[in-house]
Amino acid sequence: MGVVVNGEFMELPERVVFVSDMLRHFDIHEKVVVVEINGEVLTRVEHQSTRLSEKDRIEIVHFVGGG
Amino acid sequence: MNHRYSRQELFSPIGKAGQQQISTKHTLIIGMGALGSGSAEALVRAGIGQLTIVDRDYVEWSNLQRQQLYTEEDAINRLPKVIAAKSRLTAINSSVEVKAIIADASVEELEGLAHGVDLIIDATDNFETRMILNDVSQKLGVPWIYGACVGSYGISYTIIPEKTPCLVCLLENVPLGGLTCDTAGIISPSVNMVVSHQMSEALKILVGDFDSLRKKLVSFDLWKNQFSEIQVDRLKKSSCQSCGTERTYPYLSFENQTKTAVLCGRDSVQIRPSVLIERDLETLERLLANHEGVVQRNPYLLSYTVSQHRLVVFKDGRVLVHGTKDISEAKALYHRYLG
């Protein structure tokens, strides 16, 4: 599946179905992240239930603590 | 009359009226590391009326690569950051009233310091303090600007009580591990970029131009050439314990405070006594002189080096144990030498 993540086009493997799968694929599933799909921000619960589709525009922001 | 602020006044969204506003405002900066140094300098140059800076640490050599207010002399003298910062800030703009507080910004300190300020800038290196700061902001109705960075990555969000989601709405709970410690290092451009985001928002708030606020969670990676913004309004929860309709300010309660903290990338543990005490450093120096190890003291802190560990004792009773990340080992050393 071809999607755009943070402005960059990329192919996701077939096993990536839900947003939570994508976070695992990027190895950021243990980080605290905010995800937006096609302009709509998701709650944490929706990461599990939201299916990705071809050409989705995805924004991912992860929280860090340094300063 | 000099023309100190003429270029800022020529910038029409600020103008002379905005400059006048800025000069009457009081900002509190929590943390005087890299982000705090950058924000403090920006605000002082911009002509803020009053600035309060709080930090628990002192200047070290590893700070100088990015913490713009500090010099080699400050590192040699192990000056508390806020003391070194105040002298530099006052040299930059002597008309700003700068208040320097050497302390661990926990609940009592933050509630006291935030009273009556117009804006709080987050420049801490940990989420524990941010959660307290978030509750204090909601309780007192003072806006705050989250900012953080690691490596070439940075993030910022402006939190306006009663308007935007708060940090608890965004995070849901305190992130654990991996996020605070800068094992990935940090480059100064990431610091400067976060400071730029925070300070642009700060100026808008200080001149009362709330309509121009970014209203989005912003993040970037300067090495990977990425930039991202997310509209997060939908994440505001009416059930939030910190900003919702039946709020309890959970991070202001004693149970949620820890008394020890592993410091960001420093191989150090901070131990904070459960009651506020004042340590007599002179007496302590005499006591420790009878032990093995090396004691050094300046007016603000005492440093005691024994084998591969160094204990740094502050007047307010806090102790930094360097040379370990292990809280129980740090506590053992604390009790062994300091009772």
Side-chain angles (χ1 to χ4, degrees), chain A residues 44-61:
Chain A
R44 197 103 344 116
V45 180
E46 289 164 346
H47 292 181
Q48 314 291 327
S49 58
T50 305
R51 282 175 182 272
L52 293 170
S53 310
E54 190 73 28
K55 293 184 184 160
D56 272 348
R57 297 193 69 86
I58 304 163
E59 296 290 328
I60 307 174
V61 168

Side-chain angles (χ1 to χ4, degrees), chain B residues 21-22 25 27 43 48 118-119 202-208:
Chain B
Q21 286 277 313
I22 293 170
K25 297 292 166 70
T27 298
L43 287 170
I48 189 83
D118 300 287
L119 173 66
L203 288 173
K204 294 171 194 171
I205 291 172
L206 294 172
V207 303

Side-chain angles (χ1 to χ4, degrees), chain A residues 41 44 46 59 62-64 66, chain B residues 146 149 153 171 179 228 234:
Chain A
V41 66
R44 197 103 344 116
E46 289 164 346
E59 296 290 328
H62 70 271
F63 283 86
V64 294
Chain B
Y146 162 63
C149 46
Y153 183 84
L171 295 176
L179 288 162
S228 192
R234 192 184 154 235

Side-chain angles (χ1 to χ4, degrees), chain B residues 2-3 44 52 87 98 120 141 145 150 166 171 253 276 322 334:
Chain B
N2 61 33
H3 299 290
V44 159
T52 301
S87 93
V98 179
I120 305 169
I145 306 176
V150 167
C166 76
L171 295 176
S253 69
L276 290 175
H322 298 293
Y334 175 89

Side-chain angles (χ1 to χ4, degrees), chain B residues 61-118:
Chain B
W61 285 92
S62 65
N63 302 149
L64 302 183
Q65 159 255 2
R66 67 197 181 285
Q67 302 189 11
Q68 67 189 60
L69 294 175
Y70 310 127
T71 64
E72 293 185 352
E73 205 180 329
D74 299 330
I76 290 164
N77 294 328
R78 288 184 182 144
L79 269 190
K81 287 185 177 174
V82 292
I83 300 294
K86 183 180 174 170
S87 93
R88 174 69 183 148
L89 293 169
T90 310
I92 290 170
N93 190 342
S94 58
S95 60
V96 177
E97 192 185 316
V98 179
K99 195 172 172 191
I101 313 281
I102 309 171
D104 184 32
S106 195
V107 176
E108 303 109 81
E109 292 84 2
L110 277 180
E111 277 203 84
L113 291 169
H115 232 96
V117 308
D118 300 287

